[in-house]
Amino acid sequence: MSLTRTTTGGPPHAGSGRRPLARPQGPRMPGWFWGALLLSPAFLLVLGVIAAPIAYLVRLSFTDAHAYLPRFGSVGFDNYAALLRAPHFWDSVRTTVWYAGLTVGLQLVLGVLIALLLHQKFHGRGVVRLVALAPYMVPSIVVALVWRWLLDPTTGAYSWFIDKVWPGSQPPNLLSPNLIFWSLIAVSVWMFTPFIVISVLARLQTIDPSTVEAATVDGAGAWRRFWNIVLPELKPVLYTLILLRFMFMFTKFDVVYLFAGTGTEVRTLPVLTFQRIFGEARLGSGAAVAMILFVLLMIFTTVYLRTLYRQREETA
Amino acid sequence: MTAALHRVARVRWYLLIGIVLLVAVNGFPFYWMALTSVKPGTELFSFPPTFFTTAPDFGGFQRLFETTNFLTYAKNSLIIATGATAVSVAVSALAAYGLTRFPFPGSRAFSTAILYAYTFAPIVIVVPLYGMFREAGLINNYLGMILAYASFGVPFSLWLLQPFFRAIPAELEEAAFVDGANRVKSAWYVVLPQAAPGLIAVSVFTFLLAWEDYLFARVLITQEHLKTLPIALHDLYNASLQDWPLLMAAAVLINVPVLIAFLFVQRYLVAGWGAGAIK
């Protein structure tokens, strides 16, 4: 039958001699025409709101553009050179790497633990799952404000908690410049761990329970079962998660800015970009920072896609 | 026998501690937010703090509606998020159908390009978008915002939708053709219902992305009457007096659509997440 051709060819009744009732009017179009037609709105949109802006970004990064001055001139690589020479740029790079590295590491450990927990059968699991995922769904402005309110040094609920655990101790000001970075780490981990939880949980559910049961019968303890059976199964998903989360945390702007502001101790590259452009109105210099982020992101993405495709081929 | 029982009891014990910790750490901030929004002023800064109130005071909500343009902000958020969702889902559903049913030279390259776009950081896009939109007159404009959110909505939706469309067997459509349906009819009546879980998941995700975004709205909107909820909330916080019941009341209300989405479509959310986000 001609039916099997239809996934790649045109409509199935083309030339098959079937009654012409269903045949659309007009000349027959080849499959690629329909493919291109269906794809064109997405293509135009991506071209308009991603490709064109990136091209514009490249151009902007070589100029001395200023938000309030209409004209700008080319300055060659001056913006980049100035950045690479500026110590505060390297401070931002360091902060970004620490921020992304620490949050991803903690998210990963906690996320796997919580996923293992939620994989168990117990009463009310559905509700607990919802609670476990909730922080990821909340707007970052809400996360930032609620945590600023909880951690407020004079009126925050956390000082009561510290007082209960260590009576009489003076609770440290977690929003002060020397501790805000660590509070930001905690808040970010709180907010983004659910992403790991749900991804790992989805993967855990595909593990054949009989292999785990067999190991239990053979006397393998919980730790050995996890290390020898579950973890190898999770490894591929963990690799892609590490890459993906690192990319996301490396470029995270809103929760950093909203919770911790623009102080030097939390000025990651995205915050520096925002500050350059919307704080100092220096479009050209800000565009150069954004370009550096963009190039790093492209490198991460390429590695990420390689990993993903390799895994797909292995599992296929 | 007793050893086995012991082990079960010990496992349950760890489980219980884990669950209690998880629920407390993840749930308490939400509880505290809701509680603060209705705390009477006398209890607000009391030490030790009260963890329950017998005299709820809805003054925070009242002040929110009387002294701020909360409903206007909510309307803006709703229009922009709904528009962005409609554009993203319609455009990416067409493309996902095209990519899975009519592969042609270059469609694989397009798929890969979309994956690159999926990993895009808003902070990278917002800089040139600000410049371009200023020149094009799309600052302070619903359409501009909708297009801006489509910049991450479309790659994200297309990335998530492709597995759903690929999973629909071609035989279903072929059966429809045998029954005399044309391409459009079979796509509408056969393919679309099959893809519904994916479409719902993607719609919810896209809506939430636009609903909760701070950065694009901050940069592309400067007029008071066009502000979205996250911007409005941040500006209220930055206003000189920090009225915590009012701020928390706003936070509670911003979360309402998130909660509804979460409760009603969690099944689809998990399916969408599992299928798309990570293979």
Side-chain angles (χ1 to χ4, degrees), chain A residues 283-316:
Chain A
L283 285 180
S285 177
V289 185
M291 272 304 293
I292 292 169
L293 269 174
F294 169 71
V295 170
L296 289 173
L297 208 56
M298 287 301 94
I299 296 170
F300 292 144
T301 306
T302 308
V303 177
Y304 166 71
L305 289 183
R306 287 258 165 85
T307 317
L308 202 67
Y309 281 137
R310 202 172 54 229
Q311 281 168 21
R312 286 223 171 119
E313 273 159 28
E314 278 166 15
T315 50

Side-chain angles (χ1 to χ4, degrees), chain A residues 124-197:
Chain A
R125 182 166 71 166
V127 179
V128 176
R129 271 190 193 174
L130 279 186
V131 176
L133 303 183
Y136 188 75
M137 294 294 172
V138 178
S140 32
I141 178 65
V142 172
V143 171
L145 286 196
V146 169
W147 279 99
R148 283 197 80 91
W149 170 226
L150 278 168
L151 300 180
D152 191 279
T154 50
T155 55
Y158 108 95
S159 49
W160 171 85
F161 179 76
I162 297 285
D163 197 59
K164 280 284 159 197
V165 182
W166 294 283
S169 68
Q170 188 65 36
N173 178 2
L174 296 179
L175 301 181
S176 65
N178 52 344
L179 287 177
I180 189 91
F181 179 76
W182 302 102
S183 303
L184 174 67
I185 298 274
V187 171
S188 305
V189 170
W190 182 82
M191 187 175 179
F192 297 110
T193 297
F195 189 95
I196 308 261
V197 172

Side-chain angles (χ1 to χ4, degrees), chain A residues 7 34-36 38-39 42, chain B residues 92-104 106-112 114 158-159 162 165-166:
Chain A
T7 43
W34 295 109
L38 290 166
L39 215 59
Chain B
S92 49
L94 285 178
Y97 184 70
L99 281 173
T100 51
R101 289 297 186 274
F102 307 102
F104 60 93
S107 60
R108 203 182 144 81
F110 184 78
S111 260
T112 310
I114 282 294
L158 192 47
W159 176 210
Q162 278 191 71
F165 278 90
R166 208 175 290 121

Side-chain angles (χ1 to χ4, degrees), chain A residues 6-220:
Chain A
T6 55
T7 43
T8 48
H13 37 292
S16 65
R18 205 174 291 126
R19 66 199 167 100
L21 189 73
R23 206 173 185 182
Q25 299 300 305
R28 307 244 30 90
M29 291 296 177
W32 65 261
F33 171 82
W34 295 109
L37 189 70
L38 290 166
L39 215 59
S40 53
F43 183 74
L44 289 176
L45 237 152
V46 169
L47 207 65
V49 290
I50 296 177
I54 290 298
Y56 189 76
L57 182 69
V58 177
R59 190 167 83 101
L60 215 52
S61 74
F62 292 112
T63 68
D64 58 1
H66 190 282
Y68 307 123
L69 306 172
R71 301 203 175 282
F72 51 81
S74 175
V75 294
F77 281 91
D78 282 5
N79 288 326
Y80 293 95
L83 278 177
L84 299 180
R85 271 198 307 267
H88 70 82
F89 171 77
W90 294 104
D91 288 342
S92 279
V93 172
R94 239 187 317 274
T95 309
T96 317
V97 170
W98 276 110
Y99 175 70
L102 284 172
T103 51
V104 172
L106 286 166
Q107 281 172 56
L108 206 67
V109 173
L110 285 170
V112 171
L113 278 176
I114 294 170
L116 288 170
L117 187 75
L118 295 180
H119 191 55
Q120 310 294 314
K121 286 191 180 68
F122 55 86
H123 281 292
R125 182 166 71 166
V127 179
V128 176
R129 271 190 193 174
L130 279 186
V131 176
L133 303 183
Y136 188 75
M137 294 294 172
V138 178
S140 32
I141 178 65
V142 172
V143 171
L145 286 196
V146 169
W147 279 99
R148 283 197 80 91
W149 170 226
L150 278 168
L151 300 180
D152 191 279
T154 50
T155 55
Y158 108 95
S159 49
W160 171 85
F161 179 76
I162 297 285
D163 197 59
K164 280 284 159 197
V165 182
W166 294 283
S169 68
Q170 188 65 36
N173 178 2
L174 296 179
L175 301 181
S176 65
N178 52 344
L179 287 177
I180 189 91
F181 179 76
W182 302 102
S183 303
L184 174 67
I185 298 274
V187 171
S188 305
V189 170
W190 182 82
M191 187 175 179
F192 297 110
T193 297
F195 189 95
I196 308 261
V197 172
I198 198 158
S199 312
V200 171
L201 203 55
R203 186 68 188 81
L204 279 176
Q205 278 159 359
T206 65
I207 298 178
D208 183 5
S210 64
T211 55
V212 182
E213 276 164 29
T216 316
V217 172
D218 290 344

